[in-house]
Each structure stands twice: as C-alpha cells, then as structure tokens.
Amino acid sequence: MWIRNRNLTQTASVLLGLALFTAGCSKRAPLPPPPAASNNGGPITPGNTANPPGFPTATLTAEPNRIEIGQSANLSWTTTNANDVSISNGIGTVSATGRQSVSPTDTTTYTLTAIGPNGRTTATATVTITSPPPPPTPVNTRPNPMGTLSTRVDSELKDAFFDYDAVSIREDARVSLLTDADALKRIFQDFPSAMINVEGHCDERGSAEYNLGLGDRRSSSARDFLVQLGVPAAKLRTISYGKERPQCTEADEACYQKNRRVHFSAGQ
C-alpha cells in the first residue's frame, strides 16, 4: 500500500511540472517583424522618404498665375531622369526643360508628367482667369446736349420777316418757317409739355392800336403756315407786341425791315 501511494505522488509531481512548463512557454513574447526595406534598401525611419537614385523629378510654374481673358501666361518647367515629358490641356509632349505661352479662357490647371526608367512623377501649375474691372463711369464734362427750352428756341428758331403793312408769307420767310417747323418738332419731342410763343412785331409807323392788330395777323399767319407743316397747333400761342418791342430804333427802311417780323420765344 505504501509503495502504491508513493508512485501516485511521483506521477502527480511529473504532471504538475509538465503543466507549469507548458504555461511558461505560452507566455513567451512574439518575435518582432522584420524591418521594412526603403527605396535604397535600408530601413524606413521617420524622415527617410528619399526617392531612389535615378527617380525622375519635375517642377512646373506659371507666370503670372492670374490673368484676364485675352492675356497670356508663361509655363516654365524642368525635369531630370525623364525620357517622356508631357503637359496636359492640349500642350502634349514637350522637351525635358522648356517654356511655353498659354492663353486659357477659363481657370486651368496644367499637369506635367515626367516618366523615366526608374519611375514616374507629376507637377502642377494653375492659371486663374480674373474678371476685368468695370470701366470707369464716363464723366460728362459737356453741358446737357438737350439744353434748356429757352436756349433751344433762341438758337434753333429763326425770325420770319414781312413787307410793309403786309401779313402774307414771302419767299424768304417761307424758307425760314420751313426750317423752324423741323426745329419745333425736335423741341416738342424733347420738351413734350412746352409751349412756344409766336410773336407778331411791327415797325414804328402807324398807331399803336393798328400795329397791335397787324402784329396779331402776322403771328396768326406764321402759326397757320407751321401747322400746315405738321407742327401741333395746340403748342403754338400767338401774341402781338405791335411796335412796342423794336429790334432797331433808327428811322430808316433797313431798321423798319428788322422790326416787321415774327419772333419765337419759350412759353410759360
């Protein structure tokens, strides 16, 4: 019996040892992974990003890089270790180093691609199209071309002259009134609410009362002639000054002729 118990004790001790050995093996730390290789065969460490020898390089710049439509910019580039160099947006294959003018109509990014035996690289440059500034507002240094009603009447309408003690439209007065009709139509177009006075004047001979009547008939004769030419009758107001407002005060025929007239003025 004693021998049997001893054997059992030895067997239990062996089993316990095996269990402890197995547990110790399971807690062993895993082996670290092998270091990764870099481009030049060494381990990659922070900051070690250098390309391998012979890898292509490229630069591309645009000057200026902001232009207006119709203007040009210059693309400049350099490459190394490349036997195939091209630029996008219709430029195509180019030399390893060069310069080219471009005139895009929209903002455009150009991409240079350099391919060599040991790799491929790209570089970009953008040309931005800006809107031109608005043109400056012109400063009108001239007076209003339309002018005022009074200045237009004074500068564009001519007097019509009459024979002694007559109200009929003679030939020179007819020519003046034809021109006046065209001018009056322009004036009324620019000044729709305007009224024009058709003034009848006489020379100093005869009584004041007689000349007021004569001047009235002269202004009416001129107005009727203008109305026949298409001038609105409602825009013409007749008035007689008789011999009250002479242009000339000499007692001779030349002066009398200047006073026998129809004159125009701006109405109120």
Side-chain angles (χ1 to χ4, degrees):
M1 176 64 73
W2 178 82
I3 295 173
R4 181 181 179 184
N5 289 337
R6 182 181 178 185
N7 290 334
L8 290 174
T9 298
Q10 290 177 347
T11 301
S13 298
V14 172
L15 292 174
L16 178 60
L18 290 174
L20 292 173
F21 177 78
T22 302
C25 291
S26 64
K27 293 181 180 179
R28 182 179 298 174
L31 294 176
S38 69
N39 289 330
N40 57 12
I44 293 180
T45 59
N48 183 12
T49 58
N51 291 319
F55 192 84
T57 65
T59 62
L60 177 65
T61 60
E63 180 63 34
N65 58 9
R66 298 177 68 87
I67 61 174
E68 297 177 9
I69 292 179
Q71 295 180 334
S72 298
N74 290 313
L75 296 180
S76 300
W77 64 91
T78 59
T79 64
T80 61
N81 303 320
N83 50 24
D84 185 356
V85 182
S86 62
I87 300 177
S88 63
N89 293 302
I91 296 180
T93 301
V94 295
S95 59
T97 300
R99 178 186 178 93
Q100 180 164 328
S101 176
V102 292
S103 299
T105 56
D106 296 301
T107 297
T108 303
T109 296
Y110 296 88
T111 300
L112 180 147
T113 302
I115 303 174
N118 295 321
R120 167 195 182 103
T121 191
T122 61
T124 61
T126 300
V127 178
T128 301
I129 301 298
T130 61
S131 299
T137 303
V139 178
N140 185 8
T141 57
R142 300 188 311 167
N144 184 351
M146 190 171 70
T148 65
L149 178 59
S150 294
T151 57
R152 292 282 297 276
V153 170
D154 292 342
S155 63
E156 296 183 31
L157 299 181
K158 301 179 179 180
D159 289 351
F161 295 96
F162 292 82
D163 289 331
Y164 173 70
D165 200 25
V167 298
S168 59
I169 306 296
R170 66 190 196 187
E171 186 57 32
D172 61 328
R174 180 185 184 87
V175 173
S176 296
L177 291 173
L178 285 169
T179 303
D180 290 339
D182 292 335
L184 284 166
K185 292 173 186 178
R186 294 192 301 269
I187 290 172
F188 290 138
Q189 184 176 5
D190 294 337
F191 300 91
S193 61
M195 292 289 297
I196 301 298
N197 296 327
V198 184
E199 304 174 358
H201 296 268
C202 305
D203 63 38
E204 65 181 42
R205 292 170 293 180
S207 67
E209 183 180 1
Y210 178 82
N211 282 312
L212 282 174
L214 180 61
D216 183 66
R217 293 193 299 274
R218 284 174 175 168
S219 64
S220 295
S221 178
R223 180 200 60 187
D224 293 344
F225 187 86
L226 292 169
V227 170
Q228 292 176 4
L229 295 175
V231 179
K235 295 288 188 180
L236 302 175
R237 180 171 55 196
T238 60
I239 184 171
S240 175
Y241 288 104
K243 60 179 181 180
E244 298 175 6
R245 296 186 179 184
Q247 280 197 109
C248 181
T249 58
E250 300 295 329
D252 56 40
E253 179 57 31
C255 186
Y256 294 154
Q257 176 62 92
K258 293 179 181 179
N259 292 333
R260 298 192 300 263
R261 74 193 194 282
V262 160
H263 179 72
F264 299 93
S265 63
Q268 300 296 324

